[in-house]
Amino acid sequence: MKEIKKIVLAYSGGLDTSIIIPWLKEQYPGCEVVAVCTDVGQKEDWEALKEKALASGASKIYVLDVKEELVRDYIFPMLRAGAIYEGKYLLGTSIARPLQAKKQVEIALKEGADAVAHGCTGKGNDQVRFELTYKALAPHLEIIAPWRMWDIRSREQAIEYAQKHGIPLGTISKKNIYSRDWNIWHISHEGGVLEDLWNRPEEEMFMLSRSPKDAPDKEEEITVEFEQGIPVALDGERLGPVELLTRLNEVGGTHGIGRADVVETRVVGMKSRGVYETPGGTILFTALRELEMITLDAETLSLKRQLAARYAELVYQGKWFTLQREALDAFMKSVARFLTGKIRLALYKGNIIVCGRSSEYSLYLQDLASFGESSYDHRDATGFIKLYGLPVGVSAMVQKKLEAEGGPAEEMKEMARFSEK
């Protein structure tokens, strides 16, 4: 192997990254392993995590609080774009990885490291997201991906390795084997009984939300306020990004909002199942869609939704630090100049009910839309329909004439009969 003197590892304190530290020291004798952990909103005992990293063989550990940056510079721009992968996944894990990898690279450059390492498997999406960020920001660094190198082939074997090396596992066991990722936007659950598509998720698996059947029997009404596509206030109170999202997670989780059971297409091509809890994010996406409906004209709205699908693919595929994503964000920011207003919602047993909409940029004019007397002249529609329907009428006349004369239509039928023979 190439001589490596210092490696900076993306460290979570979970099973995979915990066993990577001693494995790296075995494979690269004499190398120093520096662990980098990012606080993206997961509930963690940070002191215990630091002790665990050092006990596992790390020479140093950095714990970086990046919640504010994550919400402000990554999550809210993605929300503004309306990016949802394959129509269901709100990209919770996907959106955090570029920032986590970026921070890891910054520490690697600060420490003068030779390599960066991660604990992503060779089957998953995260290996792509981490490594594309490494390549975009520090292409000279060596990349070490142990799951593509070692003989460990399952989480059961990883648990055995940890036990052999005396690494504490906490709540992880061969029975409690869910793979989870948690940040301020969501929590994901994979593996275990979820690998059988026929199995319903176990209720005790969920951590951020109540079951809708156990949610309060009374609806709760909230008002979300946006400025240029970015949420800025809840129930009339202006809040910072982290506090606003935290509150929405709490109220959404209380009412059973934001659960999604998704079978998605991974970057590497295979289908995989994940169960996601995204309470606050689900509320925000619903509210912003309603604001778009009243402030954007039909063609702009149609184009935005087409580009939102592409934006979601770029985020999912780890292409955050690319010209494509930056260009799409420029478009989304321009369109969002008019996404300012308030949306009133009622939360009730897993449902989000739209109660009211208000915006100074609203294109809804009650006088025009009213079924009562208005300034709209119905006679104007006659000329509009004549011109709008002109291509339909011309096509019908030409086709009927040709069919009556036995022209191209009959020739096509004869060709079809010949093809059958």
Side-chain angles (χ1 to χ4, degrees):
M1 291 187 178
K2 181 179 177 180
E3 184 180 3
I4 301 291
K5 295 181 179 179
K6 184 180 288 189
I7 303 168
V8 172
L9 169 68
Y11 184 76
S12 68
L15 173 61
D16 297 339
T17 56
S18 294
I19 65 174
I20 283 174
I21 294 176
W23 184 87
L24 288 173
K25 295 178 74 68
E26 289 174 358
Q27 300 300 311
Y28 300 90
C31 83
E32 181 182 350
V33 179
V34 176
V36 177
C37 184
T38 48
D39 177 1
V40 288
Q42 68 274 42
K43 296 291 186 294
E44 193 70 68
D45 182 339
W46 298 110
E47 289 305 315
L49 181 140
K50 291 177 182 178
E51 292 174 6
K52 183 177 180 181
L54 296 174
S56 299
S59 61
K60 187 187 299 185
I61 179 169
Y62 290 84
V63 176
L64 310 174
D65 185 344
V66 299
K67 294 190 293 292
E68 184 84 16
E69 185 176 354
L70 174 63
V71 180
R72 183 189 65 234
D73 298 339
Y74 293 76
I75 290 175
F76 280 177
M78 179 185 70
L79 166 71
R80 179 179 62 194
I84 300 176
Y85 183 67
E86 295 187 334
K88 290 188 73 174
Y89 173 40
L90 273 58
L91 296 163
T93 298
S94 311
I95 193 61
R97 295 312 190 213
L99 176 59
Q100 292 174 305
K102 175 190 173 187
K103 294 301 178 181
Q104 182 187 359
V105 166
E106 290 174 355
I107 296 300
L109 297 177
K110 175 184 175 181
E111 289 281 340
D114 309 295
V116 285
H118 61 74
C120 312
T121 73
K123 288 183 178 181
N125 300 307
D126 284 341
Q127 59 180 337
V128 180
R129 297 164 185 157
F130 272 96
E131 294 186 31
L132 289 190
T133 301
Y134 300 155
K135 291 178 183 298
L137 303 181
H140 66 284
L141 291 174
E142 190 79 12
I143 298 173
I144 302 173
W147 270 98
R148 304 202 299 258
M149 301 166 65
W150 60 21
D151 295 329
I152 298 172
R153 289 292 174 263
S154 68
R155 285 178 65 78
E156 289 85 356
Q157 291 178 3
I159 289 171
E160 291 173 3
Y161 183 95
Q163 292 170 339
K164 180 180 177 181
H165 287 75
I167 297 171
L169 293 172
T171 60
I172 298 171
S173 68
K174 292 183 180 181
K175 290 184 178 180
N176 181 20
I177 205 165
Y178 287 117
S179 176
R180 289 186 168 100
D181 178 72
W182 192 349
N183 61 46
I184 194 170
W185 187 242
H186 90 153
I187 187 169
S188 65
H189 313 271
E190 294 181 302
V193 299
L194 299 177
E195 292 182 352
D196 185 339
L197 297 184
W198 194 249
N199 287 336
R200 180 174 179 170
E202 300 168 325
E203 188 56 38
E204 57 268 24
M205 177 193 74
F206 293 97
M207 301 177 71
L208 294 183
S209 61
R210 294 182 184 177
S211 170
K213 67 181 178 63
D214 297 325
D217 292 326
K218 182 180 179 181
E219 69 179 27
E220 181 173 353
E221 197 171 283
I222 63 172
T223 299
V224 183
E225 186 173 347
F226 294 86
E227 288 181 359
Q228 298 187 2
I230 302 298
V232 295
L234 178 63
D235 296 330
E237 181 183 359
R238 292 188 70 90
L239 299 169
V242 172
E243 187 176 2
L244 189 148
L245 186 52
T246 300
R247 289 200 195 179
L248 284 174
N249 279 332
E250 291 171 355
V251 69
T254 296
H255 291 278
I257 305 295
R259 292 184 176 187
D261 189 336
V262 184
V263 179
E264 67 203 52
T265 309
R266 287 183 179 175
V267 179
V268 295
M270 71 181 69
K271 295 285 187 180
S272 69
R273 183 189 188 188
V275 174
Y276 303 102
E277 298 176 79
T278 320
T282 302
I283 293 170
L284 289 173
F285 267 111
T286 302
L288 187 60
R289 275 199 300 266
E290 292 301 318
L291 187 58
E292 289 175 345
M293 292 296 292
I294 66 171
T295 59
L296 299 183
D297 63 87
E299 291 186 350
T300 301
L301 182 59
S302 176
L303 179 58
K304 183 180 186 295
R305 291 189 174 172
Q306 292 175 52
L307 295 178
R310 180 59 186 149
Y311 193 110
E313 290 173 356
L314 291 176
V315 173
Y316 190 83
Q317 295 163 359
K319 296 179 180 178
W320 183 264
F321 295 103
T322 63
L323 182 58
Q324 283 187 72
R325 198 275 308 168
E326 292 173 359
L328 286 180
D329 254 330
F331 170 83
M332 298 301 178
K333 186 175 182 179
S334 176
V335 170
R337 287 176 295 163
F338 307 107
L339 294 180
T340 295
K342 300 177 182 179
I343 302 295
R344 192 156 53 94
L345 306 166
L347 311 180
Y348 180 69
K349 289 190 174 295
N351 296 290
I352 304 174
I353 304 158
V354 180
C355 301
R357 310 160 179 85
S358 174
S359 173
E360 61 183 305
Y361 297 104
S362 175
L363 302 180
Y364 175 84
L365 301 181
Q366 189 171 346
D367 177 61
L368 283 177
S370 174
F371 284 98
E373 186 177 349
S374 73
S375 60
Y376 181 78
D377 189 340
H378 293 264
R379 292 171 295 184
D380 291 342
T382 302
F384 164 73
I385 294 174
K386 283 183 178 179
L387 293 176
Y388 187 70
L390 183 63
V392 178
V394 170
S395 297
M397 287 189 294
V398 171
Q399 290 164 5
K400 288 182 182 299
K401 182 175 182 295
L402 289 172
E403 288 173 1
E405 296 173 354
E410 287 300 320
E411 292 177 8
M412 291 298 291
K413 291 177 182 177
E414 185 62 31
M415 290 178 64
R417 285 194 289 269
F418 180 76
S419 297
E420 290 173 0
K421 293 178 183 178

